[in-house]
Amino acid sequence: MIELRDLTKRYGDKLAVDGLSFTVRPGTVTGFLGPNGAGKSTTMRMVLGLDEPTRGDVRIEGKRYAELREPLHSIGALLEAKGVHGGRRAHDHLLCLAQSNGIPERRVGEALEMVGLQDVARKRPKGFSLGMGQRLGIAAALLGDPRILMFDEPVNGLDPEGIHWIRTLMQQLAREGRTVFVSSHLMSEMAQTAEHLVVIGQGKLLADTSMSQFIAENSRTHVRVRTPEPERMRDLLTEAGLRPVPGAEGALEVDDGDAPRIGELAAAHGVVLHELSTQRASLEEAFMRLTAQSVEYHAAAPGGTHAPPVPQEGTAPHPGGPQSPPGAAQPPPAWGEDWQDRKGRRG
Amino acid sequence: MSHSTRVLKSEWTKVRSVRSTVWTLATALLVSVGLGALICGVTASTFDDMSSSEQVTFDATYTSFAGMGIGQLAMIAFGVLIVSAEYSTGMIRNSLAAVPQRGTFLWSKVLIAGALVLVVGMVTSFCAFFLGQALLGSHGVGIGDEGVLRAVVGGGIYMALIAMFAVGITFVLRSPLLAFAILMPFFFLISNILGNVEATKKVGQYLPDQAGTTVMAVVPDTLNRPYGPWEGLLIMVAWTAAALLAGFFVLKKRDA
Ligand SMILES: Nc1ncnc2c1ncn2[C@@H]1O[C@H](COP(=O)(O)OP(=O)(O)OP(=O)(O)O)[C@@H](O)[C@H]1O
Ligand SMILES: [Mg+2]
C-alpha cells in the first residue's frame, strides 16, 4: 500500500505536484494517468524519497521511505530514466543492487529469467534495444520480490509484443496480491490493464475511481440520426424534449438519447431514417475532456481539418499482436487538439 | 552481515564492473611510472651538465615522482567518473532507491574508492621510486635513506587523496563535463602557476596539490614551503575532507 497525503512539490515558482492525497491499494493494478507534465514522474520520485516533498508525505506500508532499511524488499520501481550504466553488464547491474539489500545472488539470475534476459546476462546494456533496457529495469524492480511495484510509463517505446508482456506481468503481479502502481498518458492503454484509476492534471488530483466507474461516468453517449428530412426530424426531437445538435455529414446528434424511442418517434411521423446509432465516446476522449482544463501544452488547433491519424505505438492495431479494444483503435490526436476542435464545432 | 557491509559490497561490485576503473587506474600507474622513468633517465645522462649548486640540492626521490603531475590527472578522472556516472546514467536513482540512507551510500562509495586508489597509489609510488632510482644509478638514493620512505609512502597517499578530492567535488557538481572542465585544467596548469608565481605563491602554495606534493620531497629546498612535509600532506587531507563533506551535504540536501 502506498499512501500519499497532501503531497506537494514546487520547483521554483512552478507547482509540479499540488496537494495530492490518495491511496494505492494491493491486489489491483492502479493506473496513474495524466497528460505530459502533469507531475506523474515527480510524484513517483517523491514516493521513492528521491525528491523531497515541499509539503505533505508518502507512506510505504505505513513507513516513510527513509525508514526502510532494505527498501527493495518492500518496493521495486522502474523509473522514467532507466538508470542503467551502459558499461556495466546486466548481471552486475542487478548484483550491485541486490547486494546493497542483502538479496541473494541467485535472485539476480531468477529476475533475469523472469524478464527473458538470461541470454544477455553477461552483455553490456549499451547494446540493448529499448525493449531489453525496459526489461532490465523491470528485472531490477522485481529483484527483492517486493509487495509493491511502481512503473513509470513502462510501455513507452515498446512493440506490441512487449506491451502485451508488460500488461500481462502487471496483472499477474496484482493477482498475487501485490500493489501495482503504473503511470501512463494513454487512457486506452490503462483501460486494458488497470482496475483502478488515479487521474491528475497540472499536479492536481482530478479523479480517483475504479476503471468501470470512470468509464460509466465519463464516456458521453449520444444517438446519431441521419435522415433526408433533417429539419423536420429536429423539430420532432425538440418537441419531444430532446436536444439535437447538428453533427458531421448532415447528421443529428442527440446527447443521452434513447435510440429505440427516437426510432419510434420517427416511425410515428413517417420520417425516413438512413441511420440510427448509439455512439459511445472513446475513453481517450473522456480522459481528454477531464484533463482539458489542465493540459499544459495545447497543440495549435488545426484549421478545421483533422490530421490523418498517425498510428502510435501502443494504440495501433497490429496484425498478430494483442487485440486492441474499440477505444484504442483510433489513435488519439495531440493533446487537447481533438477536444478543442469539437468544442469549437458544437459552438 | 550488517547493513553497511552490504552497501560496501555493492559499491565494490559497482567499481569493479565498469571498464573505466581499469583504464583510468592503469593509466595513472603507467603514465606516472613511465614519465618518471623517462625524466630520471634523461637526468642521469645530463647530470654532469648541471651546475654544482643544482647538483648539491638535487632531489633524486622527488625527480622519480616527476610523472605523477600528469599521472594524477588519470586519478582525478577515476574519481570524477565513479561519481558522475551515477548521475549521467541515472543510476543514482536506483542507488538511492536501494539505499535511501544517503550518508551510508556516499561514505561506502568513498571507502571503497579510497581503498582502491590507495592501493594503486602505493604501487605507483613504489614502482616510480625504484625504477627511477635504478635509472639514476649513482645519483639515486636508497629507500632507507633519511626521509625517503616517508616521501614514497606520502606519494602513494597523495595519489589517493587527489582522486578522493575529485570524488567530493563531483558529488557537488554532478556533471562529468563540469567536473572535468574544472578539475583538469586546474590541476594540470592553474594550481601550478598559482603555487609558484611570486605574486600568488603566498596563497597558492596552500592549494591541495601544491601542499600535498611537499610530502614527496626529501631535500627541503626542492619546494621551499613554509610548512613541513607532513603538514603539507595534512593540508591536502583537510582539502579532501572539505570536498567530501561538501559533496555529502549536497547529496543530502538536493533532489536526486
Ligand atoms: N527537476 C525539476 N526541476 C524543475 N522542474 C521540474 C523538474 N522535474 C519536473 N519538473 C516540472 O514539473 C512538471 C511535472 O513534470 P513530470 O515529469 O513529473 O510530469 P509527468 O507527468 O511525468 O510528464 P510526462 O508524461 O511527460 O512524463 C513539469 O512541468 C516539469 O517541467
Ligand atoms: Mg513522466
Side-chain angles (χ1 to χ4, degrees):
Chain A
M1 188 149 83
I2 311 173
E3 293 156 285
L4 287 77
R5 263 191 308 226
D6 192 29
L7 195 66
T8 302
K9 181 69 184 182
R10 179 183 284 283
Y11 293 113
D13 54 6
K14 175 161 184 66
L15 259 183
V17 175
D18 189 359
L20 283 188
S21 300
F22 61 88
T23 301
V24 188
R25 293 175 204 286
T28 55
V29 176
T30 300
F32 190 31
L33 232 71
N36 291 126
K40 305 180 294 292
S41 300
T42 305
T43 302
M44 289 187 159
R45 286 199 304 275
M46 286 194 282
V47 170
L48 294 180
L50 297 171
D51 282 24
E52 179 74 18
T54 309
R55 203 178 64 226
D57 75 347
V58 185
R59 301 277 159 152
I60 311 294
E61 313 281 24
K63 287 200 186 120
R64 289 158 43 84
Y65 198 88
E67 291 166 11
L68 300 172
R69 201 126 189 83
E70 280 159 355
L72 300 188
H73 294 286
S74 311
I75 176 167
L78 169 81
L79 288 183
E80 200 171 25
K82 291 304 150 294
V84 176
H85 191 302
R88 184 176 287 126
R89 296 171 210 278
H91 175 91
D92 291 335
H93 170 70
L94 297 182
L95 180 62
C96 68
L97 292 174
Q99 284 172 332
S100 67
N101 276 242
I103 298 163
E105 183 164 357
R106 142 184 77 76
R107 275 296 296 173
V108 170
E110 287 173 11
L112 283 169
E113 216 153 289
M114 257 184 267
V115 301
L117 288 183
Q118 62 277 12
D119 294 340
V120 293
R122 301 284 161 188
K123 293 246 162 24
R124 298 181 198 272
K126 66 178 153 226
F128 284 9
S129 69
L130 207 59
M132 287 160 83
Q134 208 79 341
R135 282 166 192 256
L136 183 56
I138 290 172
L142 296 173
L143 259 185
D145 198 15
R147 302 292 307 153
I148 305 175
L149 286 135
M150 192 167 78
F151 301 118
D152 196 358
E153 311 216 4
V155 302
N156 254 11
L158 290 192
D159 60 14
E161 198 196 327
I163 292 171
H164 181 70
W165 176 76
I166 289 192
R167 194 183 290 155
T168 314
L169 176 75
M170 289 190 297
Q171 285 168 338
Q172 183 202 325
L173 291 166
R175 263 201 309 278
E176 291 167 5
R178 296 177 214 260
T179 305
V180 182
F181 188 42
V182 52
S183 81
S184 174
H185 50 249
L186 290 179
M187 184 69 206
S188 51
E189 170 56 35
M190 279 299 98
Q192 295 173 77
T193 321
E195 279 178 61
H196 196 85
L197 198 61
V198 172
V199 183
I200 63 168
Q202 288 197 352
K204 288 195 188 65
L205 189 69
L206 298 178
D208 177 3
T209 152
S210 75
M211 181 59 82
S212 52
Q213 195 176 350
F214 179 85
I215 293 172
E217 283 176 4
N218 283 285
S219 50
R220 161 185 173 269
T221 57
H222 66 261
V223 175
R224 198 173 134 86
V225 184
R226 272 197 317 130
T227 160
E229 299 172 274
E231 285 82 14
R232 215 177 129 220
M233 189 67 211
R234 188 174 50 218
D235 293 344
L236 287 174
L237 289 166
T238 314
E239 277 166 29
L242 295 164
R243 276 172 290 112
V245 291
E249 297 160 44
L252 293 170
E253 290 179 358
V254 187
D255 267 332
D256 301 318
D258 175 11
R261 191 179 150 213
I262 293 169
E264 282 157 21
L265 189 71
H269 293 84
V271 179
V272 173
L273 294 186
H274 287 171
E275 181 186 347
L276 178 64
S277 61
T278 305
Q279 306 277 326
R280 189 172 268 271
S282 76
L283 279 177
E284 214 66 59
E285 282 178 294
F287 173 43
M288 278 191 271
R289 188 158 51 225
L290 182 63
T291 57
Q293 285 80 37
S294 69
V295 169
E296 196 167 1
Y297 313 103
H298 278 293
T305 54
H306 266 295
V310 184
Q312 288 187 354
E313 283 154 316
T315 51
H318 191 274
Q323 207 55 47
S324 293
Q330 217 36 30
W335 273 109
E337 177 186 293
D338 187 50
W339 163 243
Q340 293 294 317
D341 195 37
R342 270 158 200 278
K343 215 164 50 178
R345 256 198 344 218
R346 290 229 172 78
Chain B
M1 199 166 36
S2 84
H3 183 237
S4 0
T5 324
R6 289 172 173 174
V7 181
L8 283 173
K9 238 177 113 177
S10 151
E11 286 301 322
W12 170 243
T13 301
K14 276 190 202 168
V15 172
R16 67 159 180 78
S17 60
V18 291
R19 283 182 177 141
S20 63
T21 300
V22 176
W23 68 253
T24 47
L25 294 180
T27 305
L29 191 143
L30 293 176
V31 167
S32 302
V33 175
L35 208 57
L38 187 75
I39 288 167
C40 285
V42 171
T43 309
S45 65
T46 58
F47 195 82
D48 296 333
D49 303 338
M50 289 203 273
S51 70
S52 59
S53 70
E54 277 176 332
Q55 289 183 354
V56 168
T57 61
F58 176 68
D59 193 332
T61 315
Y62 195 72
T63 306
S64 59
F65 295 145
M68 284 190 184
I70 304 292
Q72 68 173 354
L73 299 180
M75 278 293 195
I76 293 168
F78 169 78
V80 169
L81 285 176
I82 60 157
V83 178
S84 68
E86 290 267 358
Y87 288 95
S88 59
T89 61
M91 179 70 184
I92 188 73
R93 293 197 170 136
N94 276 322
S95 297
L96 293 180
V99 186
Q101 297 77 18
R102 296 191 178 190
T104 309
F105 164 73
L106 179 135
W107 297 117
S108 298
K109 195 182 267 307
V110 166
L111 221 65
I112 291 293
L116 184 59
V117 287
L118 190 62
V119 170
V120 176
M122 283 299 170
V123 172
T124 304
S125 187
F126 276 88
C127 286
F129 174 77
F130 285 115
L131 187 61
Q133 300 314 309
L135 290 164
L136 284 170
S138 59
H139 310 299
V141 294
I143 190 89
D145 293 0
E146 200 195 332
V148 172
L149 185 61
R150 176 261 298 159
V152 179
V153 171
I157 299 174
Y158 174 90
M159 289 297 257
L161 286 175
I162 200 89
M164 297 324 287
F165 181 77
V167 165
I169 295 296
T170 311
F171 263 116
V172 175
L173 298 175
R174 298 187 170 190
S175 138
L177 260 110
L178 205 58
F180 275 118
I182 290 173
L183 291 172
M184 287 298 174
F186 184 81
F187 285 114
F188 180 60
L189 209 65
I190 297 169
S191 110
N192 281 316
I193 295 171
L194 295 178
N196 292 296
V197 168
E198 277 310 317
T200 54
K201 192 173 171 170
K202 257 187 135 55
V203 180
Q205 64 193 354
Y206 292 100
L207 289 170
D209 59 328
Q210 298 302 309
T213 38
T214 41
V215 82
M216 293 186 257
V218 173
V219 180
D221 288 348
T222 308
L223 290 166
N224 196 16
R225 300 287 191 218
Y227 44 77
W230 288 120
E231 286 93 323
L233 193 70
L234 216 61
I235 292 170
M236 190 180 186
V237 169
W239 275 103
T240 308
L244 290 172
L245 278 175
F248 171 66
F249 284 119
V250 169
L251 180 70
K252 203 86 181 140
K253 285 270 159 276
R254 270 176 58 180
D255 291 339

